[in-house]
Amino acid sequence: GMLYTAAAMAVRYFDGSYADPTNGLALDVAENLRPAIGTKGAEAVFSSNAFILICMLSTSYMAHFNAPKFYLELKDNTIARWNTVVVTSFSISILFFIAIAAMGFSTFGGSCSGLILNNYSTKDSIMGFSRAAVAFALVFTYPLAFVGCRDGILEMLQVPKEERTDSKVNNLTYLILGSVTAVALKITDLSFIMSFGGATLGNALIYVYPAIMFRSAVKNMGDNATTAQKLEVYVAMTFAALGIAFGGIGAKMALGKLM
């Protein structure tokens, strides 16, 4: 679904179907979603809005709790093979999402919606199929993140594994899904979810938690910790502080945009 969407967005960018906001398919789109290409160029990166983008990018790491599971399920799971999997998958993902972001922004500029498919006309048959393909992809990838969330809640509640009966797990599943659905019905701006989630959970997973874990590990090593490791603790905590600062600014800006 995502691969088709990337190809469809590229087709619409290169054929110029939305190049003129006063003609063609662009007329079938709400005025605030029509192409609005600015003139600031690369200097726009230094805008305060860049913090929102940084927070959105932080969501890339919010499924990392699945890494141990994938490592254990990898055939002949040596570190070398695992590194190959990580480098290959991350490289493909980075290139893939750069291409989608570039096509979307180059087509619609500053009017890009939090869900870029909203910018395309409902009469656009190519993008109409893309909506169905993305929905299909989301339905079957959602459990990867959901299972981690549910298991994490069980761990925080300190529920022993032998007490995690089907009924308890199912009831928790219904509760979480119901809560998420209720929030989704109220908050429809996907860009806010991405930016606020990245500013809070994303930054915590990237900068804060790893630094705290590393500091704790070095502390537990006692006199066996090397001088380099002890110095690295200060570097890690500096990044943690930067993560908190970036997260605070990004969260404030995301909330301000929502208001």
Side-chain angles (χ1 to χ4, degrees), residues 214 218 225-238:
F214 180 72
V218 173
T226 64
T227 302
Q229 289 173 328
K230 293 178 180 179
L231 292 175
E232 191 175 349
V233 169
Y234 293 102
V235 177
M237 297 311 296
T238 299

Side-chain angles (χ1 to χ4, degrees), residues 75-184:
K75 183 179 180 181
D76 298 328
N77 54 346
T78 62
I79 295 298
R81 282 177 54 79
W82 175 246
N83 288 340
T84 300
V85 170
V86 172
V87 171
T88 303
S89 59
F90 263 76
S91 298
I92 294 174
S93 297
I94 290 170
L95 293 174
F96 183 73
F97 286 109
I98 285 177
I100 288 182
M103 291 299 101
F105 189 75
S106 297
T107 303
F108 297 101
S111 66
C112 286
S113 170
L115 178 60
I116 193 64
L117 293 178
N118 289 339
N119 287 92
Y120 292 92
S121 170
T122 55
K123 296 180 180 179
D124 189 335
S125 57
I126 293 179
M127 299 311 299
F129 185 76
S130 180
R131 291 183 176 93
V134 169
F136 182 85
L138 290 176
V139 167
F140 289 97
T141 55
Y142 182 77
L144 292 175
F146 181 83
V147 169
C149 175
R150 186 187 64 191
D151 292 348
I153 291 176
L154 289 171
E155 291 291 339
M156 287 191 297
L157 295 176
Q158 297 183 345
V159 179
K161 293 186 181 297
E162 59 272 12
E163 294 183 12
R164 299 181 187 182
T165 61
D166 290 342
S167 60
K168 284 186 178 180
V169 173
N170 289 339
N171 288 334
L172 180 60
T173 298
Y174 300 145
L175 179 61
I176 298 174
L177 279 176
S179 301
V180 171
T181 303
V183 173

